[in-house]
Amino acid sequence: MCLSNIKDLKIAVVGLGYVGLPLAVLFSSKYLTIGYDTNNHRVGEINGGFDKTGEVSCEDLNKALKNDFRCTSCVEDIKKCNFFVVAVPTPVDTYNRPDLSQLLMASRTVGSVVKKNDVVVYESTVYPGVTEEECIPEIEKTSLMKLNQDFFVGYSPERINPGDKIHTIEKIKKITSGSTPQVADFVDMVYNSVLKNGTYKAPSIKVAEAAKIVENTQRDVNIAFVNELAKIFNAMDIDTSDVLKAAATKWNFIDINPGLVGGHCISVDPYYLIQKAQVYGVMPRIMTAARRLNDGMGDYVANQVIKLMNKKGVLVKDSKILVLGFTFKENCADIRNTKVIDIISTLKEYTNDITVFDPYVDVEKIEKVFSFKILSNNIQHLEKEFDVVILAVSHSQFVGLNPRKFLRISNGVVYDVKSFFAKQLIDGRL
């Protein structure tokens, strides 16, 4: 069937974002690896030893570059590769419908260079059936070759957790699968050769695709449950954090905190399964309700802040507000689908004097898109300037910070989305 000797692998990783680059660097530790991306600027930065996502350290990246790893935006440069890994984004559109455009484009790119006996592995998150029903036909059409006769396909869903320095790619367990049992064994062997904790070989590509969707959908539903609890207990004037700490003393309690659900995984992936379920005549009511509830938490937080301001006699109109954190999660630069913007959007109905501080963001990039002040350094000069402080993201740089020192009035409001600050420093929290 495919390659008889794993040592002959020449790997091309298509898509060099949060998923693709760490994977390419990992593969390059053992195999000749070329990273491919259509973004020339991104390719130039990586070849210069810098990863703006922060997922790969300068040390690790430069080490890989010294070992012949390189990136390109020229398709010709990956023609000699025989093992292609596709790791491009799979977002949703403005109506929360799956957007496969980048995935299909990447499939056509691979189709233009794939050769006899080559293997193509998809890592992008999709609903069950996309690899075989959408991607493979694109490769066949472009290459004029046939699956399992001329080329072979696998699926190994990504498990990158942006900003996580513990569960890094070489340490996680990966699901693998293949278009034939023999290919599944080969793909499993390739991934096993670079992973410390090995793999789990799924019985089919569709099972592997479904498993990835379930991982994130389960998280979404669980977070929606505690977000709903937070709304109930806030209405009852009961501290949700205290309730969850007490409940967590039971041995089988699932310890999850309420909060904003953003990013490119938990806030997106469920829509892929929701859409596919409806095609089969199944209405996924729990998943749909969870998505709706979690998507509304930014607006809920903003209205809780306004409620506290009214209670404390702080004029909402034209108030000065400081928001700490803008990325979708702590200690990473990723702003995709950040729900902090929903807090800001609601508050902007009352005031335009909103300042955001986040040490991880690309200020120039964000200021082009959003019309509010954003800072990434020198937070100390903001002392005694605001009526309200909202802790939205619990970056480690905020440890030890006293949020009340930024208030210019004694009755100012501090709201803690993440239950990050000590109780005596805040006026409200989820």
Side-chain angles (χ1 to χ4, degrees):
M1 46 145 268
C2 47
L3 298 172
S4 59
N5 192 340
I6 195 172
K7 293 181 181 178
D8 295 332
L9 280 184
K10 297 180 181 65
I11 298 176
V13 177
V14 179
L16 298 174
Y18 283 86
V19 174
L21 181 60
L23 185 67
V25 169
L26 178 63
F27 275 135
S28 73
S29 66
K30 193 154 188 175
Y31 308 104
L32 188 154
T33 304
I34 299 174
Y36 172 82
D37 200 289
T38 57
N39 187 329
N40 288 317
H41 182 70
R42 173 72 170 157
V43 168
E45 281 186 339
I46 296 170
N47 284 332
F50 174 68
D51 172 26
K52 69 177 181 181
T53 72
E55 291 302 304
V56 179
S57 69
C58 291
E59 180 183 356
D60 290 343
L61 183 52
N62 280 294
K63 181 180 177 182
L65 291 167
K66 287 179 182 178
N67 290 333
D68 293 330
F69 169 64
R70 66 189 177 94
C71 300
T72 182
S73 55
C74 178
V75 177
E76 293 291 317
D77 292 339
I78 60 174
K79 269 192 171 181
K80 292 184 179 180
C81 294
N82 48 26
F83 193 93
F84 298 88
V85 181
V86 178
V88 296
T90 45
V92 292
D93 63 19
T94 54
Y95 300 101
N96 292 321
R97 296 174 303 197
D99 178 1
L100 300 176
S101 59
Q102 295 183 68
L103 188 64
L104 298 180
M105 186 183 298
S107 297
R108 289 190 286 272
T109 297
V110 171
S112 71
V113 293
V114 71
K115 305 174 298 301
K116 184 77 173 177
N117 292 329
D118 285 357
V119 178
V120 184
V121 179
Y122 286 89
E123 291 235 355
S124 305
T125 303
V126 293
Y127 55 76
V130 167
T131 301
E132 292 158 302
E133 297 164 14
E134 303 287 347
C135 299
I136 289 173
E138 291 295 332
I139 296 177
E140 290 181 325
K141 183 180 178 181
T142 307
S143 67
L144 302 179
M145 295 197 296
K146 289 294 181 182
L147 175 70
N148 295 335
Q149 292 180 23
D150 303 305
F151 70 97
F152 306 90
V153 169
Y155 183 79
S156 180
E158 60 91 0
R159 278 178 170 167
I160 293 292
N161 186 23
D164 190 338
K165 302 306 179 185
I166 297 175
H167 304 98
T168 51
I169 188 165
E170 72 277 6
K171 297 176 184 176
I172 60 175
K173 191 166 191 169
K174 287 270 283 168
I175 295 172
T176 62
S177 61
S179 53
T180 71
Q182 295 78 14
V183 173
D185 288 341
F186 184 78
V187 171
D188 194 66
M189 180 171 61
V190 172
Y191 277 88
N192 252 311
S193 69
V194 293
L195 296 171
K196 293 180 180 179
N197 289 321
T199 60
Y200 175 85
K201 187 170 60 176
S204 70
I205 287 175
K206 284 184 179 178
V207 167
E209 291 170 325
K212 171 58 181 177
I213 289 286
V214 168
E215 291 172 20
N216 288 332
T217 302
Q218 181 187 62
R219 285 277 297 164
D220 195 40
V221 170
N222 285 338
I223 296 170
F225 170 64
V226 294
N227 277 340
E228 191 161 59
L229 290 179
K231 288 185 173 184
I232 293 169
F233 295 137
N234 284 341
M236 299 172 70
D237 200 25
I238 300 173
D239 191 302
T240 306
S241 294
D242 289 344
V243 173
L244 295 176
K245 284 177 184 177
T249 59
K250 189 171 188 286
W251 62 89
N252 60 351
F253 183 77
I254 301 173
D255 193 9
I256 295 175
N257 294 316
L260 306 175
V261 182
H264 188 61
C265 292
I266 300 177
S267 68
V268 171
D269 295 352
Y271 287 120
Y272 276 69
L273 190 53
I274 288 168
Q275 192 249 23
K276 194 63 173 178
Q278 292 178 73
V279 170
Y280 283 85
V282 179
M283 179 55 67
R285 300 187 189 282
I286 293 176
M287 291 186 290
T288 302
R291 277 284 72 237
R292 187 179 298 116
L293 195 149
N294 284 339
D295 271 349
M297 288 305 291
D299 182 67
Y300 172 78
V301 166
N303 281 293
Q304 287 296 106
V305 171
I306 292 168
K307 183 178 177 180
L308 282 169
M309 293 172 73
N310 287 329
K311 279 186 175 181
K312 296 192 72 174
V314 180
L315 188 64
V316 178
K317 183 173 170 50
D318 297 327
S319 57
K320 296 192 67 174
I321 299 174
L322 172 64
V323 178
L324 297 174
F326 187 71
T327 60
F328 93 87
K329 64 177 287 187
E330 63 277 0
N331 303 326
C332 82
D334 196 346
I335 64 168
R336 289 176 297 177
N337 300 319
T338 175
K339 296 305 175 185
V340 181
I341 190 61
D342 294 344
I343 299 175
I344 296 168
S345 295
T346 298
L347 292 173
K348 283 188 73 175
E349 295 178 24
Y350 303 91
T351 177
N352 285 314
D353 202 342
I354 299 174
T355 300
V356 177
F357 177 84
D358 194 306
Y360 286 90
V361 299
D362 182 335
V363 172
E364 186 177 335
K365 178 180 178 182
I366 292 177
E367 285 185 342
K368 286 180 181 178
V369 180
F370 305 107
S371 56
F372 52 77
K373 302 174 199 169
I374 187 147
L375 304 170
S376 62
N377 53 50
N378 195 16
I379 192 175
Q380 300 306 323
H381 81 279
L382 298 175
E383 290 185 20
K384 298 186 182 302
E385 284 198 18
F386 302 95
D387 305 306
V388 177
V389 176
I390 302 171
L391 186 284
V393 187
S394 53
H395 292 313
S396 58
Q397 285 89 338
F398 299 150
V399 172
L401 195 69
N402 180 355
R404 304 208 75 84
K405 73 179 182 178
F406 300 108
L407 297 175
R408 62 179 180 175
I409 51 177
S410 60
N411 61 332
V413 171
V414 175
Y415 191 88
D416 189 350
V417 174
K418 303 289 287 186
S419 295
F420 183 73
F421 294 127
K423 264 188 181 182
Q424 64 269 24
L425 296 177
I426 65 174
D427 300 288
R429 63 182 179 181
L430 272 182

